[in-house]
Amino acid sequence: MREELQERNIKQKDFAQQIGVQPTHLNEFIKGKRNLNEDLAMKLEKYLGIPFKTWMNLHNGYVYESKAIDAKKNEHKRAAEYEAACSQTFNLHILYKRLNLNQLPCTERVSRIKEMFSFDLLSSNELRLQVAGFYKHSEKVQIDEKNMLTWLILNNFETSKAKFDIAPYKEGNAQKAALEMAKMANERTASVDNIKRCLNDYGILYIEVEKIEKAPIDAYSTFVGTHPVITVTYRYNDLDKLVFDILHELCHIKKHLSDTQKAFIAIEGVEYSKDPREREANEFARQMLIPEVTWKSILKIGCKSLDPYKIIRTIAKEAELRGISPSIAVSRYKYETNWYKTSSYRSPKIH
């Protein structure tokens, strides 16, 4: 309408007088503040020679597009509100980055992420209820609760898309897997592939989730259907530690997972104040790697020198004679004596 009047060099005020409408009404119509009616469309046909039908079609298209724009704005607003609510609970930026969604528009990001998960992320705090979370953590270890929950969400995602084309899990399989794992570690034949194969042979799924800053999670165990699942992070390039963490989780699978306790999480630097199951899992892992009788026989040999470096060498030698990996024996000695000054007999790298 504006273009037609400008093209014909007609002033709005003069045209309003010509067709018998208030100038303010015509101006509001041109600005999109007043809808076109049939009476005005008939007058426009009469005075401008543009068919009534053309005006009505243009108007209907305008109304439709206006509603579509409003709907898109509302959709964007709802998506932005959803993201803001999620950001109060977990690290949405990390989650988007890990799922390759960070470059998408807001509405598409929200739509995609809702499709990816079988639960509402705004209720993701429920994941915490599955975990033995009554702990106090060391001041030396920085923990960001949002990042911790983000890791749990990513673990849930990796688990949900995993293929369970592995052997069935039977009672006693966790113990059998633990014995084989400990044997591999002490024979120094352990590797990620061998660990995965071992667990799969006993009906246990193995998953790795990339580490997240200020989420010092070592391992996580739960059941999905009839299969136990162990998730690990390679926070340190330390194969002996990885084996220990998996043995720890195998104890939980063997003894502690239940309908009321659906998952366990192992966190660096955490002191479990009320849960003896964590201490039991640590002891299980230690005994699997070096049975107490064997450990006492190693220590019983003794060393003529008080030099800790010579003691370390003696322990390594005696451990190897008994079929125990020197790096595992030395690591246990350093832990029990709280002496970590030597870098000798380091654990193999993860491969």
Side-chain angles (χ1 to χ4, degrees):
M1 180 66 171
R2 180 185 291 108
E3 290 172 358
E4 281 295 325
L5 294 181
Q6 288 175 348
E7 185 70 24
R8 300 178 191 216
N9 201 25
I10 302 173
K11 293 182 179 180
Q12 286 187 27
K13 183 177 180 181
D14 294 341
F15 187 67
Q17 186 176 3
Q18 183 181 4
I19 65 176
V21 300
Q22 292 289 334
T24 53
H25 289 180
L26 180 65
N27 184 258
E28 288 174 354
F29 166 68
I30 289 174
K31 290 182 175 180
K33 296 180 179 179
R34 181 182 289 268
N35 286 336
L36 177 72
N37 55 42
E38 293 182 355
D39 180 58
L40 179 57
M42 291 295 292
K43 290 178 179 180
L44 294 176
E45 180 182 58
K46 178 180 178 181
Y47 289 97
L48 294 177
I50 299 173
F52 167 88
K53 187 176 181 180
T54 300
W55 288 111
M56 294 307 294
N57 285 342
L58 286 170
H59 177 68
N60 290 337
Y62 169 77
V63 170
Y64 174 82
E65 288 180 9
S66 295
K67 288 183 177 179
I69 290 171
D70 289 342
K72 195 168 184 178
K73 285 180 180 178
N74 288 334
E75 185 183 5
H76 184 276
K77 181 182 178 183
R78 288 193 298 270
E81 289 173 348
Y82 181 84
E83 288 188 334
C86 287
S87 294
Q88 295 297 313
T89 308
F90 56 89
N91 195 318
L92 191 60
H93 173 73
I94 290 177
L95 190 63
Y96 279 157
K97 187 175 181 181
R98 294 288 175 88
L99 299 176
N100 296 317
L101 301 177
N102 51 325
Q103 299 299 321
L104 298 177
C106 175
T107 51
E108 191 173 346
R109 287 196 304 258
V110 170
S111 176
R112 290 280 298 279
I113 205 165
K114 285 182 176 180
E115 291 173 357
M116 287 180 170
F117 293 91
S118 59
F119 61 93
D120 185 355
L121 289 174
L122 290 178
S123 64
S124 58
N125 265 317
E126 293 179 8
L127 287 173
R128 280 200 181 102
L129 301 179
Q130 298 179 5
V131 179
F134 300 102
Y135 60 83
K136 56 182 180 179
H137 53 80
S138 165
E139 293 180 358
K140 296 179 182 179
V141 179
Q142 291 185 316
I143 293 181
D144 185 309
E145 293 293 339
K146 287 185 180 181
N147 288 7
M148 294 285 286
L149 188 53
T150 305
W151 189 95
L152 288 172
I153 292 171
L154 286 167
N155 174 65
N156 182 280
F157 176 72
E158 292 297 330
T159 303
S160 69
K161 69 178 187 178
K163 295 180 180 179
F164 287 82
D165 50 352
I166 56 177
Y169 179 76
K170 299 177 182 178
E171 187 74 24
N173 276 12
Q175 177 73 20
K176 292 176 182 177
L179 288 168
E180 189 171 327
M181 287 265 299
K183 186 172 183 291
M184 281 194 302
N186 279 312
E187 290 178 351
R188 286 166 278 187
T189 59
S191 66
V192 170
D193 287 342
N194 286 342
I195 289 170
K196 188 180 295 186
R197 176 198 54 75
C198 172
L199 293 174
N200 288 179
D201 285 348
Y202 291 104
I204 303 166
L205 194 68
Y206 177 92
I207 289 176
E208 186 256 330
V209 172
E210 188 179 344
K211 64 182 179 181
I212 294 177
E213 185 181 1
K214 295 183 181 179
I217 299 168
D218 291 317
Y220 179 93
S221 57
T222 189
F223 261 92
V224 175
T226 59
H227 287 281
V229 179
I230 294 176
T231 308
V232 299
T233 57
Y234 303 148
R235 297 180 53 250
Y236 300 100
N237 196 357
D238 186 321
L239 191 59
D240 289 345
K241 184 181 186 311
L242 176 63
V243 171
F244 183 94
D245 292 337
I246 294 171
L247 291 171
H248 177 105
E249 300 307 321
L250 284 170
C251 179
H252 286 318
I253 292 168
K254 176 187 175 184
K255 295 186 176 183
H256 305 142
L257 289 177
S258 64
D259 291 338
T260 55
Q261 182 65 65
K262 297 180 180 179
F264 281 87
I265 190 167
I267 304 169
E268 180 194 18
V270 169
E271 300 174 14
Y272 288 86
S273 55
K274 297 182 179 179
D275 200 335
R277 296 172 295 184
E278 293 300 326
R279 293 191 292 273
E280 184 179 12
N282 279 337
E283 186 59 26
F284 174 87
R286 276 192 291 271
Q287 293 301 318
M288 277 289 135
L289 290 170
I290 311 178
E292 192 63 26
V293 173
T294 304
W295 182 238
K296 286 181 178 179
S297 71
I298 293 172
L299 296 181
K300 192 175 181 181
I301 296 300
C303 179
K304 296 179 181 179
S305 173
L306 295 178
D307 183 342
Y309 296 96
K310 291 183 179 180
I311 293 174
I312 288 288
R313 288 196 292 272
T314 301
I315 287 174
K317 180 181 177 181
E318 293 300 323
E320 192 154 23
L321 290 173
R322 290 163 176 77
I324 302 297
S325 166
S327 63
I328 291 174
V330 170
S331 177
R332 179 163 172 176
Y333 176 78
K334 290 194 289 186
Y335 173 79
E336 292 187 357
T337 60
N338 197 30
W339 186 77
Y340 295 94
K341 292 182 179 180
T342 180
S343 59
S344 301
Y345 305 102
R346 284 184 174 179
S347 165
K349 303 295 184 184
I350 293 174
H351 60 283

